[in-house]
Amino acid sequence: MWTVSVLSSFRGLSEGAGVTDLSSRNPDWWRQAVVYQVYPRSFADADGDGLGDLKGITQRLDHVAALGVDALWLSPFYPSELADGGYDVADHRDVDPRLGTLDDFDALVGEAHRLGLKVIVDIVPNHTSRLHPWFQEALRAAPGSPARDRYVFRPGRGEGGELPPTDWQSVFHRRRWAGRAQRRVLRSARVPGVRPARADFLRMMSPGAMSGGGAAGTYG
């Protein structure tokens, strides 16, 4: 709550020279907006199973709106084995069944709009879970194939390739390289077919309303 108050104060100072346009007509609305981030799995539990869900968020959106914030930022809610807190996405086009359904997501967005809140979602476009169909296909495919080229594969060091290709370290894990034979689960946007798939995902998530890009998309 303290952080929200501080952000609101800064916004007030920045608006001294004029009224800030926070509508979707202004592509830079987010620069002056106060955003409330929610991690769906821990925010609110509507069905009593001990895990937060989308319906729980929807039921409490009036509390979020009462804080005076402009937008709700949802951390990933896609199917995931939670090897990376939900950022290891197994299907970018669906909701983790433990958290709800696509209909629940539509209801959340609708209620947020009714309350005057924008909705920002983490898209996670640059990598996938090892369970993603594309990565499973890549594991079965031959080197140099289109399926394999969607990801960055490098041979391991050592006599049997048992060592990582490099000594790069990760902030979140000890090694940046992972998977069988040190395969890195990292999608390459340079490969034909990847960009159209991403664009199709954005259209599916918000037909005609998506105004963001990169790591997050916005429901105006």
Side-chain angles (χ1 to χ4, degrees), residues 26-203:
N26 175 16
D28 292 328
W29 68 266
W30 53 272
R31 294 183 181 275
Q32 301 297 329
V34 177
V35 180
Y36 190 99
Q37 183 178 8
V38 166
Y39 187 68
R41 299 174 190 275
S42 62
F43 183 73
D45 176 16
D47 58 13
D49 66 354
L51 186 69
D53 45 47
L54 297 184
K55 286 184 177 180
I57 298 172
T58 303
Q59 291 174 359
R60 289 163 177 77
L61 282 179
D62 55 337
H63 300 294
V64 177
L67 295 174
V69 303
D70 304 300
L72 178 74
W73 170 12
L74 292 176
S75 293
F77 49 84
Y78 315 104
S80 169
E81 62 178 335
L82 299 181
D84 190 20
Y87 285 84
D88 51 313
V89 179
D91 184 354
H92 291 78
R93 301 170 60 86
D94 204 354
V95 173
D96 189 323
R98 294 169 291 187
L99 305 183
T101 66
L102 287 171
D103 287 339
D104 293 334
F105 175 73
D106 288 342
L108 188 159
V109 173
E111 177 64 6
H113 285 173
R114 188 187 71 80
L115 294 168
L117 296 171
K118 297 180 184 298
V119 179
I120 302 172
V121 297
D122 268 315
I123 294 173
V124 198
N126 293 322
H127 58 273
T128 71
S129 163
R130 65 187 180 92
L131 301 180
H132 194 284
W134 277 11
F135 190 67
Q136 291 299 310
E137 181 185 4
L139 292 178
R140 297 188 297 268
S145 64
R148 181 69 69 96
D149 286 345
R150 288 174 180 151
Y151 294 86
V152 177
F153 285 78
R154 295 292 183 271
R157 296 176 297 160
E159 292 184 4
E162 70 278 2
L163 299 175
T166 70
D167 60 356
W168 297 346
Q169 299 295 304
S170 169
V171 173
F172 300 103
H173 308 286
R174 289 194 307 165
R175 295 178 176 177
R176 285 188 178 272
W177 298 93
R180 290 165 44 195
Q182 309 302 334
R183 295 181 175 96
R184 175 62 175 149
V185 187
L186 179 65
R187 193 187 306 174
S188 174
R190 299 184 298 273
V191 177
V194 172
R195 289 185 183 275
R198 290 180 180 173
D200 181 61
F201 163 69
L202 295 179
R203 286 191 294 268

